[in-house]
Amino acid sequence: MYVAFSWLKEFVDLDCDINEFVEKMTMSGTKVETVKKIGDKIDSIITGKILEIKNHPNADKLVVTKVDIGEKILQIVTAAKNIFVGAIVPVAVHNSTLADGTKIKKSKLRGELSEGMFCSIEELGFNKSQYPESPDSGIYIFNDNVEIGQDVRPILELTEDVIDFEITSNRPDCLSILGIAREAAATFNKQLKYPVCENLSIGTNNFDIEIKDNNLCKRYMAQEIEDIKIEPSPQWMRHRLISCGINPINNIVDITNYVMLETGQPLHAFDAENISQNKIIVRTSKNESITTLDDTIRNLDNEMLVICDPEKILAIAGVMGGQSSKINSNTKKILIESANFDAYNIRCTSKKLKLRTDSSMRYEKCIDPNLAEFAMARVIYLIKKLNCGKPSSQTLDIYPVKKMPRQIKLNPEKINQLLGTNISEQEMVQILNKIELKTQNNLIEIPTFRNDIENDADIAEEVLRFYGYDKINSTLPATNIIGKKNKSQIINDKIKEIMIAQGGYEIKSFSFESPKVFEKCLMENQDAVKISNPLGEEFSIMRTNTINSMMQALSLNFNKKNDEAILFELGKVYEKNNNDLPSEHQILTIGAYEKIDFFNIKGVIEKLFSKLKINNYDFKIGQEKFLHPYRQTKIFIGENEIGFLGEVHPKVTKNYDIKSKVCIATINLKHVYENTIFIKKFKPLAKFPAVYRDICVIADKDISAKNLSDTIYKCSTDILEDVKLFDVYEGKQIEDGKKSLAYKLIFRSNSKTLTEDEINSVMKKIIEQLENKFGATLRI
Amino acid sequence: MKELDDLKNIALSLIENVKNMDELSQIKIKLLGKKSELTSLMKSLKDIPAQERPQFGEKINSLQKMIEDKLNDTKEKIYDAEQNLKFKSEAIDITLPGISNDIGNLHPLSIVLNDIEKIFTSMGYEVVPAHDIETTYYNFDALNISQTHPARDEQDTFYINSEQVLVTATSPMQIRVMEKNKPPIKIISPGRVYRTDEIDATHLPMFHQIEGLVVNKNITMSDLKGTLNVFAHELIGENIQTRFRPHYFPFTEPSAEMDVTCFVCSGSGCKTCKHTGFIELLGCGMVHPKVLKNAGIDPDEYSGFAFGMGLERIAMQRFGIEDIRLFYENDLRFINQF
């Protein structure tokens, strides 16, 4: 809500400067977003008098002028046609700025020096409706009595401080100068001065008004005005409208807008001669259409509230009027509407039509029906004062259920208890009275414009706003609770720690993605949770897996030529759950490209499990379509499949524009949470020395290393402490179809020092077993 | 005796001319070995008249000792010299870069969230993660956002269907926690939230919030103020100032926004803080009596406060990040900076 500071001062005698005003209003709850001057966009544009106009030696359409700007005389080349010797014009001098941000510099135009530019009203940031005296096209010309060499802004009345207030949705009363003035008066302990109004005479007129649904239209006031003289409104009114962001149109429309800004009550003026049969019907639309004032055809559905005559729709109630009854230069008789429409209906209409106006944004916040009368009285006063018409009848007022003030008990003890303060009842009453909440014997009368006040807590806030939020003490709540994270949160933290220690960089990605990712990742389409009103197709389903997110992050880094690294994400996937809320599963995703391969990531996962003391994990051959068919594995904890690891299929990497091998793994953390062991027990350190033996065997290529090592383990359960594979080799010196595997075996007894014989006998058994089971031979 | 003097001179000159360890060991054999002159002199000791024998013997011994000492000294010198040569040949360029395993990095949002969680757990708050998808009851109605409230507009909320939404704030967790637990309640609830904002430098359709809730007997607005003052000072620094301004949220009353001294200009006024010296950190207030009642807590017996803050915004201010999109691009050059 924009408000010109001077306008506000008409309602309250403020003697503070703008900075103090902004600070105190913000602290009492009417937050100021910004303060700007309406002419802030233009800079260094001054008045100058044209002394001489000569033809340009090299250009037919240009002239060379001499301009007096007070301190010196400039030469300016221009194509403008409406200038003349003696004209006082806006001159954009060297290094000046136009409204659209253009910087004006000295330059040569067809060989002639030009030290600036003359400006049209548009170049100053305005238009002819705001400055009706400006020419249809060409340079703006000032009155002869304007002094030269002056900043144009004060002359065009552009130096006003305009304050932008942030009005919260519970305070529609503050979408008006009056409402803000009421807050300002209470903040600065001043008296609020109401604007002058006409005394209304409620009764009948020539019009018949029918309201079909009193819930959608709670009040409808109408006033006929005749002898209308349409002309531009006075400059002071136009400037106020401009400063509040409203374009001046003509005196009648401007007055309705002016009063809307003052009071917060939207008003509309119909050309009364275009209302058939002098009858107004307020009803919902029947899938009709209307051409609105902005020259757009609007198709209306059967819920939208409209103002009609027996033949046609005149206006979309509370949103915008129609062309058919628009005020034009020939209008002689008007009907002023001051009504109260249902907030929700107006909001839905405005939303459906994507048409938000100064009127609809007020109605949709639920304004006070009692305001309609005040606004009507003010409009009639201004119409008479500006001499643009004459009320020709009484004011019609259809108001079946009058809204009455509510009463709430003042409960000072409860208020102090909630706030942690010690404010006296007397002080509370004083504060409440300042904002027109009258009190009598412990009862507070809530004015009808304060719909938001319902209970003790609401009263507490009103008291506190003017008592001062800054006066509350700082204390800490007395509770004896221990702060903590739960087990899965602690494990999440631990996982991140382990991943980082292994060179992992944490990423974060969106929870939603495109349904196209399934195809992109060679996956079957999955029944994902769909968003019914997504920002676009690319964000329309909740992700069912994290492959696409990781591939995108890898692709970005690959294509930015960042060094290879391990990326990981701890994030959710979402699973449909019939009619219940979807399930949210926490997933660890790991990905890398280039030299970081399958076994690097496998190592990372093994280390992760080992650090979490999870021993019952296993890797089994996998068959995901989006992975390399022979370089992938399923990951198990106990009997539960918890994820996969593999080299991504080259078709998929190509879809993500990655020209490198990519390795990816995902782990559903549910089973990790369940199997992580926190309690660790000390195992005594071995007392007897270990004996190391290396063994190198040649076996068929397709025999898995795990089968071999499992067999070795089984040969001795008591003294073989560990088996470590340290080399796998295929190639020269090894027969085709075979591979060589080298193991380091660690023997140790926990009761004695082992003898050669004991170890040799186990070694013999191992070699026999490998030979018998796998046909493996010792490599010599 | 003359023989001894000659021997001594010969030995000294030999030792002096030794060039390496091989020569040294040969000379050692020559001077002290079984076939050496000294050994033969020792052996000849028995032929010397008994009277002179002790004196002569002593001289031989001292000569032997002197030779041994000299040899040892020389050995050490040669060793040092050889070692020095070896060292020289092993010279390295100490300006070459070091070698280390790559250590990764937390995402900046995790770093800030960790800090926030640490402050609150140390103040006795339990961490309860929020859901991403909620029913309209928890997201709206229970939080005193009625069917006709503007905040329910589809233009702000992502709907799954007429009854389920992507949460628009972490506040629905307030209701879940109050339904499940009896006061005293003291939790924070971090989570992802969703709004139908088009993506630009300061808006994303998905971001993170952290909700806080305290409910007990006699919880006051001054408890809220004290708690959030401690939090802000711990998070940002002891020297900052805070201020509480009135504001409006449907689920708190009275409501406030908390501002802190601008990170950028330290309060002197700049573009970031619109020349006010303050920037908004979070929204807060006393839990609305209707919300307490909706969650099954008697507002006449208990009161509470709640607060909510945006994680991205705090991280942007702390690290000086001007484009919110960077958080979800996952460029290593970005993540590695924090």
Side-chain angles (χ1 to χ4, degrees), chain A residues 158-180:
Chain A
L158 300 176
T159 50
E160 170 92 274
D161 280 317
V162 178
I163 307 163
D164 180 11
F165 291 98
E166 179 200 15
I167 305 299
T168 54
S169 64
N170 60 328
R171 292 299 304 273
D173 61 304
C174 284
L175 291 171
S176 68
I177 296 171
L178 179 67
I180 291 171

Side-chain angles (χ1 to χ4, degrees), chain B residues 197-221:
Chain B
D197 286 327
E198 293 288 346
I199 297 178
D200 63 28
T202 52
H203 294 90
L204 288 177
M206 187 205 91
F207 53 99
H208 290 77
Q209 277 189 347
I210 300 123
E211 192 81 6
L213 175 71
V214 175
V215 180
N216 203 0
K217 283 181 181 158
N218 300 319
I219 297 291
T220 67
M221 188 99 177

Side-chain angles (χ1 to χ4, degrees), chain A residues 34 51 63 162 170 222 251 264 284 301 371 386 442 480 502 582 612-613 684:
Chain A
T34 52
L51 302 176
V63 291
V162 178
N170 60 328
N251 49 0
T284 49
D301 69 18
L371 194 59
L386 301 186
N442 266 342
N480 46 357
Q502 299 195 87
L612 297 174
K613 303 282 175 218

Side-chain angles (χ1 to χ4, degrees), chain A residues 347 475 485 506 511 532 574, chain B residues 110 117 132 148 153 159 223:
Chain A
R347 185 152 54 84
T475 56
K485 290 186 169 185
E506 192 195 7
S511 317
S532 66
Y574 307 83
Chain B
S110 293
E117 285 177 346
D132 291 39
T148 56
D153 268 3
Y159 281 83
D223 292 333

Side-chain angles (χ1 to χ4, degrees), chain B residues 7-17 31 66 70:
Chain B
L7 190 58
K8 182 182 171 187
N9 288 336
I10 290 165
L12 284 177
S13 105
L14 278 171
I15 292 169
E16 205 163 300
N17 287 320
L31 292 178
M66 189 217 77
K70 219 58 188 175

Side-chain angles (χ1 to χ4, degrees), chain A residues 52-209:
Chain A
E52 175 189 298
I53 302 175
K54 281 187 173 167
N55 290 336
H56 192 290
N58 309 317
D60 292 344
K61 292 189 174 161
L62 297 179
V63 291
V64 181
T65 67
K66 293 271 189 264
V67 189
D68 183 359
I69 56 162
E71 58 179 14
K72 58 182 171 180
I73 293 173
L74 301 180
Q75 172 169 303
I76 289 178
V77 179
T78 179
K81 297 214 165 50
N82 70 323
I83 53 164
F84 50 88
V85 172
I88 299 173
V89 292
V91 182
V93 298
H94 180 60
N95 279 336
S96 61
T97 312
L98 303 184
D100 65 0
T102 310
K103 296 253 184 239
I104 300 300
K105 303 263 183 205
K106 260 188 223 174
S107 66
K108 280 195 170 174
L109 282 174
R110 295 284 193 101
E112 289 294 316
L113 178 69
S114 184
E115 297 173 284
M117 186 185 121
F118 302 139
C119 302
S120 65
I121 197 71
E122 287 79 14
E123 281 156 341
L124 299 176
F126 302 94
N127 58 41
K128 190 170 156 59
S129 76
Q130 294 163 338
Y131 291 87
E133 69 278 13
S134 35
D136 285 337
S137 70
I139 305 304
Y140 184 84
I141 312 255
F142 290 101
N143 285 338
D144 289 348
N145 55 10
V146 165
E147 226 180 297
I148 58 173
Q150 303 298 307
D151 188 331
V152 299
R153 288 177 291 193
I155 304 163
L156 294 167
E157 297 189 23
L158 300 176
T159 50
E160 170 92 274
D161 280 317
V162 178
I163 307 163
D164 180 11
F165 291 98
E166 179 200 15
I167 305 299
T168 54
S169 64
N170 60 328
R171 292 299 304 273
D173 61 304
C174 284
L175 291 171
S176 68
I177 296 171
L178 179 67
I180 291 171
R182 189 181 287 120
E183 291 289 320
T187 304
F188 293 93
N189 277 317
K190 303 281 182 188
Q191 204 63 41
L192 175 64
K193 294 184 288 186
Y194 279 84
V196 187
C197 291
E198 190 73 15
N199 282 324
L200 289 186
S201 153
I202 304 293
T204 55
N205 59 21
N206 294 321
F207 281 80
D208 176 22
I209 290 170

Side-chain angles (χ1 to χ4, degrees), chain A residues 23 26-29 31 33-34 166 168-170 344 347 351 356 364-365 414 416-420 454-455 457-458 460-462 464-465 469-486 489 493 496 499-512 529-535 539 542-543 549 553 556-557 560 562-572 574 578-582 584 593, chain B residues 102-107 109-110 114 117 120-135 147-155 157-161 164 166 176 184-186 192 194-199 204-206 208 214-216 218-227 229-230 243-248 252-257 274 280 286 288-290 299-300 303 305 327-333 335-336:
Chain A
E23 157 84 15
T26 297
M27 294 309 286
S28 72
K31 192 188 175 200
E33 289 283 354
T34 52
E166 179 200 15
T168 54
S169 64
N170 60 328
Y344 187 56
R347 185 152 54 84
K351 203 174 70 187
R356 202 152 184 264
E364 69 180 34
K365 302 268 162 58
K414 193 134 191 232
N416 279 321
Q417 199 185 13
L418 186 67
L419 300 179
E454 293 180 336
N455 54 40
D458 297 321
E461 179 172 88
E462 295 309 300
L464 188 60
R465 288 200 296 127
Y469 275 50
D470 54 336
K471 283 195 204 139
I472 299 185
N473 290 329
S474 275
T475 56
L476 288 174
T479 53
N480 46 357
I481 313 178
I482 296 169
K484 63 183 175 205
K485 290 186 169 185
N486 66 25
Q489 291 163 0
D493 289 348
K496 287 185 186 179
M499 289 306 301
I500 286 164
Q502 299 195 87
Y505 290 83
E506 192 195 7
I507 63 163
K508 286 194 185 286
S509 38
F510 284 153
S511 317
F512 30 51
V529 176
K530 291 186 188 67
I531 299 164
S532 66
N533 58 329
L535 274 191
F539 299 133
M542 298 303 283
R543 64 180 180 185
S549 307
L556 178 123
N557 283 291
K560 299 250 174 187
N562 290 336
D563 285 346
E564 58 194 12
I566 298 170
L567 306 187
F568 75 96
E569 177 174 21
L570 253 87
K572 285 179 189 170
Y574 307 83
N578 294 327
N579 293 328
D580 291 341
L581 282 174
E584 302 176 8
Y593 54 76
Chain B
D102 194 13
I103 297 176
N105 218 24
L106 273 184
H107 192 280
L109 292 177
S110 293
N114 278 351
E117 285 177 346
F120 282 110
T121 48
S122 77
M123 289 168 81
Y125 288 71
E126 206 174 313
V127 183
V128 184
H131 302 166
D132 291 39
I133 306 174
E134 267 294 3
T135 61
Q147 190 73 42
T148 56
H149 195 281
R152 255 180 122 133
D153 268 3
E154 202 180 277
Q155 61 202 62
T157 311
F158 286 118
Y159 281 83
I160 304 296
N161 53 43
Q164 295 176 1
L166 299 187
R176 296 254 175 213
I185 290 168
K186 214 171 163 191
R192 291 184 163 199
Y194 302 82
R195 312 250 172 103
T196 55
D197 286 327
E198 293 288 346
I199 297 178
L204 288 177
M206 187 205 91
H208 290 77
V214 175
V215 180
N216 203 0
N218 300 319
I219 297 291
T220 67
M221 188 99 177
S222 71
D223 292 333
L224 167 66
K225 198 171 164 183
T227 299
N229 273 334
V230 170
R243 77 173 187 190
F244 289 77
R245 282 182 285 107
H247 197 70
Y248 168 69
T252 51
E253 189 75 27
S255 303
E257 277 186 335
K274 292 180 189 158
E280 182 196 321
M286 301 306 291
H288 199 289
K290 285 186 191 168
D300 289 328
S303 56
F305 64 76
F327 289 118
Y328 297 92
E329 268 181 9
N330 297 315
D331 192 324
L332 280 169
R333 294 169 301 172
I335 298 170
N336 211 2

